[in-house]
Amino acid sequence: MRIMCLNGWGGKLYDHLQNYLRETSPDVLCLQEVVHTPATQKDWLTYRDGDHVLPQRANFFRDVCEALPGHTATFCPAAQGVLWDDDKSIPSQWGLATFVRNDFPVIAQVQGFVHKSFCADGYGEHPRSRSAHAVRLYDYERGWPVTIAHMHGLRDLRGKMDTPERMQQAQRLASLATGVSEPGDRLIICGDFNVEPDSQTFEVLNEIGMDELVTGRGFSGTRSSHYKKPARFADYMLVNDAVEVVSFEVREQPEVSDHRPLVLEI
């Protein structure tokens, strides 16, 4: 089973990402920073937050569904705000999504929030609402279940340092993951955590038996060349002792986002 975790950057490099997903076709894709805009058929809109202006793939969720037609897709919105078509505002949802190959039935799942709750009338003040999703799958070929959970950690404008909100976020993520998994399950937790490698987040996850792979296997960062700030870590993948890691990569090429894909084979 191949599991990929990626922050999709709102689909900014979608042409590259589309080709990459079609070529690799992971069994499970945990995708953060996903845009879903049913109110328009346009391909591109603009996100505006003061001086922060970004092109957004307006129906990024739909587009990834088309790139992975053999997968069951679940979109988990964190908020509904607006994107812009020139001077016209268009309501748009933002969150994360999970794509599971149809060969693996989803036998349990939970969608929840690790920070705040659903914001229906705008993206909100920073740090904004953040969601998480966990699925328990059954692997018929090997005859066992596996639970996979991912989140997009809150963004604090002051930086990636530990805060009470981040501690609560880690505790909520651990609770969400263990609430879906059962004793003896292979458990994988991943996502764009928006924290540094020395964060207390990993102490919380270690308490439920999770070992972190990115720094644990000596990778020097998870950011691509499109990210211009000095901090190189944001994304992490953790496994428990029941998981036999066949391979794990932080892929530098091709560049499909300002984050690098994390790819685990079990």
Side-chain angles (χ1 to χ4, degrees):
M1 182 186 292
R2 184 178 296 114
I3 300 146
M4 180 184 295
C5 178
L6 176 67
N7 180 314
W9 204 17
K12 186 175 179 181
L13 299 180
Y14 178 69
D15 289 342
H16 299 285
L17 177 58
Q18 179 186 48
N19 292 333
Y20 179 61
L21 291 177
R22 286 176 172 163
E23 290 170 5
T24 58
S25 189
D27 295 309
V28 180
L29 171 63
C30 298
L31 188 65
Q32 301 91 48
E33 208 164 301
V34 180
V35 183
H36 180 45
T37 316
T40 185
Q41 293 300 311
K42 293 230 171 180
D43 288 334
W44 295 97
L45 296 171
T46 302
Y47 169 77
R48 299 174 186 166
D49 181 14
D51 294 334
H52 194 47
V53 178
L54 283 174
Q56 299 281 278
R57 187 74 181 174
N59 281 292
F60 190 25
F61 177 63
R62 178 199 64 195
D63 294 337
V64 177
C65 288
E66 292 175 354
L68 297 173
H71 291 62
T72 298
T74 304
F75 175 66
C76 305
Q80 176 163 295
V82 298
L83 297 178
W84 295 88
D85 180 10
D86 293 328
D87 293 331
K88 180 182 178 182
S89 65
I90 297 177
S92 179
Q93 296 172 25
W94 182 92
L96 51 78
T98 310
F99 302 81
V100 179
R101 188 181 302 280
N102 293 333
D103 295 346
F104 301 100
V106 177
I107 56 176
Q109 63 180 308
V110 64
Q111 172 183 345
F113 282 79
V114 291
H115 182 65
K116 295 182 177 175
S117 59
F118 181 68
C119 191
D121 55 356
Y123 298 121
E125 297 297 322
H126 292 287
R128 292 170 170 166
S129 299
R130 295 298 168 113
S131 56
H133 187 219
V135 292
R136 189 170 188 251
L137 317 176
Y138 195 82
D139 185 336
Y140 275 107
E141 182 177 344
R142 295 163 186 83
W144 42 252
V146 56
T147 298
I148 303 165
H150 72 118
M151 76 163 179
H152 188 184
L154 67 87
R155 176 173 177 251
D156 191 315
L157 298 181
R158 297 171 298 171
K160 290 183 166 64
M161 65 289 177
D162 283 329
T163 62
E165 291 80 10
R166 283 195 167 112
M167 174 59 78
Q168 184 182 58
Q169 170 179 267
Q171 293 166 340
R172 286 183 175 180
L173 177 62
S175 177
L176 182 143
T178 55
V180 172
S181 64
E182 296 189 8
D185 272 10
R186 291 150 179 83
L187 177 59
I188 297 150
I189 299 177
C190 57
D192 173 4
F193 289 6
N194 262 325
V195 297
E196 296 291 349
D198 61 355
S199 171
Q200 292 175 332
T201 294
F202 302 106
E203 296 176 16
V204 173
L205 296 177
N206 184 254
E207 289 174 1
I208 62 168
M210 307 303 295
D211 291 320
E212 200 278 306
L213 297 178
V214 174
T215 57
R217 297 205 168 200
F219 291 95
S220 59
T222 64
R223 290 291 201 167
S224 76
S225 67
H226 293 276
Y227 187 75
K228 304 304 181 183
K229 297 178 183 178
R232 305 314 297 170
F233 289 95
D235 313 271
Y236 300 92
M237 188 172 283
L238 302 93
V239 298
N240 70 357
D241 289 343
V243 174
E244 180 182 348
V245 177
V246 176
S247 65
F248 176 71
E249 300 176 76
V250 179
R251 292 189 174 169
E252 297 184 20
Q253 297 294 331
E255 293 195 334
V256 295
S257 168
D258 62 341
H259 296 248
R260 296 174 180 173
L262 313 184
V263 183
L264 171 68
E265 188 171 345
I266 64 172

